[in-house]
Structures are given as structure tokens and as C-alpha cells.
Amino acid sequence: QVQLVESGGGLVQAGGSLRLSCTASGATLRTYSMGWFRQAPGKEREFVGSITWAGSSTYYADSVKGRFTISRDNAKNMVYLQMNSLKPEDTAVYYCAGRRPPGLTPDLTQYNYWGQGTQVTVSL
């Protein structure tokens, strides 16, 4: 059973940066396409970005494009979300998710495995 664990969340001022990490137990992430999602209070979970298993392609939501970067280190079994120029509206619980089929998709129903999430709070 694949278990994903996120880390790196916290409190940061607007304009600051955070790097989230995602690792897995029970599986080797290099065989999974990975995505990051977020959920703010009272809102639905939304797509942030995704990366192919080899890291050769990425895809981002318009709201984070140019500010967030997804990367992965398959040798370390890690996936990262670098978040720069953070805004208060980026405040949410951030989740990493994995799917076995190749390719990029923003559709959360296409992801089979989810972490428990890590809180990111951006203050003014």
C-alpha cells in the first residue's frame, strides 16, 4: 500500500517562499505521475500542478504558474513543490497525490494515492 507523506508547510509572510516535500513508503515514486493539490477552508480541493514520472514535463494551474515549481528526485523518492512569491490566497492545506498511468492531469479523481496534507499559511 502506497503511503504519501507531505512536509514543509508552515507560516510565511506574503512574498515569501516555502518548499514542500512529499515522500512515500511502500512504493517507489519513480513509477508514478505526481500531483499537488490544495484545499482552503470552505472550498473544494483544487489542482496546483503535476509532474510526469521522469520529471520531463510539468503542468500548472494558472493561479500558480510562474510562482510555483514542481520537481522530483526519484533517487531519493521525493517530490517537491517550490512556492515563491506567496500570497494570502495561497493559504490552504497542500496535498501530494500519485497516479500510476503516465501523463499529466488536473483531475483529482484520476489520482489513486493521497497524503494527509500539510498546512501552508500566508500572512499579510
Side-chain angles (χ1 to χ4, degrees), residues 71-87:
S71 61
R72 65 192 302 161
D73 186 338
N74 287 335
K76 295 182 179 179
N77 215 33
M78 298 289 291
V79 180
Y80 305 101
L81 178 65
Q82 178 67 44
M83 305 185 294
N84 299 328
S85 302
L86 283 161
K87 305 174 181 179

Side-chain angles (χ1 to χ4, degrees), residues 27-107:
T28 302
L29 287 182
R30 67 173 178 267
T31 62
Y32 293 80
S33 298
M34 300 297 294
W36 285 94
F37 293 78
R38 66 187 182 186
Q39 187 166 18
K43 295 187 177 181
E44 294 186 349
R45 193 169 299 188
E46 65 174 7
F47 173 74
V48 173
S50 60
I51 187 168
T52 53
W53 69 271
S56 54
S57 296
T58 53
Y59 173 53
Y60 299 96
D62 287 343
S63 58
V64 306
K65 199 173 296 182
R67 300 188 298 123
F68 290 11
T69 302
I70 297 175
S71 61
R72 65 192 302 161
D73 186 338
N74 287 335
K76 295 182 179 179
N77 215 33
M78 298 289 291
V79 180
Y80 305 101
L81 178 65
Q82 178 67 44
M83 305 185 294
N84 299 328
S85 302
L86 283 161
K87 305 174 181 179
E89 51 263 43
D90 294 318
T91 295
V93 177
Y94 283 71
Y95 300 88
C96 69
R99 62 190 296 266
R100 246 321 175 36
L104 304 171
T105 176
D107 183 356

